[in-house]
Amino acid sequence: QDTLALCAGLQTQIGPGGNDPDAIYSWSPTTGLVSPNSATTTFNGDSSAVYTLAITQNGCINYWIQPIAVLDVTIEAPSDTTLCDNAGLILSATDFIPGTSIVWSLSPDGSDPLNANVNEASITVQPKIPTTYYLTGSIGDCSDRKSTRLNSSHLVISYAVFCLKKK
């Protein structure tokens, strides 16, 4: 079978189907499987593996193999931060697996990407007003979203000069 790519936290049915009462079914490994002794079972695991179903019938053993790749798309954005006027900051996505598409955006849906291409995990920003930046990491249909808010702090320095005259 082709490798089945599945987003972490989701479940799916695997197996050749059918359930002959004269056959004995045994999956290996059994981790993440709901019914390890049936022809079709539900996979709800959290790690990639190659699952093998041994089908014993009339003294013969046949094997059905299903590789599963669990795509755990996890990204991290920097913590909310306050910047001084006109200060720039590099925002970097971290903790993601190779092959993850990275999009920095000003909108939650990522419709206005700020990074030049999806292989760039960092952008340089210089917000003049409080701004929320949204980060989306995705592989296929699997994605993770985070945000970070940058506040702009205006530093005002006032001073006065007094001249005193003698009388």
Side-chain angles (χ1 to χ4, degrees):
Q1 300 297 316
D2 290 335
T3 298
L4 177 63
L6 185 67
C7 301
L10 297 181
Q11 61 184 24
T12 192
Q13 294 286 313
I14 61 171
N19 227 355
D20 188 334
D22 296 327
I24 298 171
Y25 301 96
S26 179
W27 285 93
S28 177
T30 60
T31 305
L33 300 181
V34 173
S35 303
N37 295 312
S38 65
T40 303
T41 187
T42 300
F43 171 82
N44 64 359
D46 57 4
S47 60
S48 301
V50 175
Y51 288 86
T52 302
L53 173 63
I55 306 166
T56 306
Q57 188 172 27
N58 300 326
C60 296
I61 300 178
N62 291 306
Y63 296 97
W64 192 86
I65 298 173
Q66 179 63 68
I68 296 180
V70 175
L71 303 175
D72 187 7
V73 179
T74 303
I75 53 175
E76 290 301 325
S79 300
D80 292 353
T81 304
T82 298
L83 301 174
C84 292
D85 256 355
N86 298 320
L89 182 68
I90 297 173
L91 297 177
S92 295
T94 59
D95 296 337
F96 58 91
I97 60 175
T100 301
S101 295
I102 301 293
V103 174
W104 282 100
S105 176
L106 292 172
S107 62
D109 65 1
S111 60
D112 57 346
L114 298 173
N115 46 331
N117 71 57
V118 296
N119 294 320
E120 292 178 4
S122 299
I123 60 170
T124 301
V125 297
Q126 192 173 5
K128 304 289 185 213
I129 60 173
T131 306
T132 300
Y133 294 89
Y134 298 91
L135 172 63
T136 303
S138 59
I139 298 177
D141 293 334
C142 307
S143 65
D144 187 22
R145 287 185 175 83
K146 298 288 189 322
S147 67
T148 187
R149 183 162 178 80
L150 299 182
N151 296 303
S152 182
S153 174
H154 300 286
L155 180 62
V156 177
I157 299 175
S158 296
Y159 63 93
V161 176
F162 295 97
C163 295
L164 299 175
K165 284 187 172 181
K166 288 185 180 180
K167 281 192 169 187

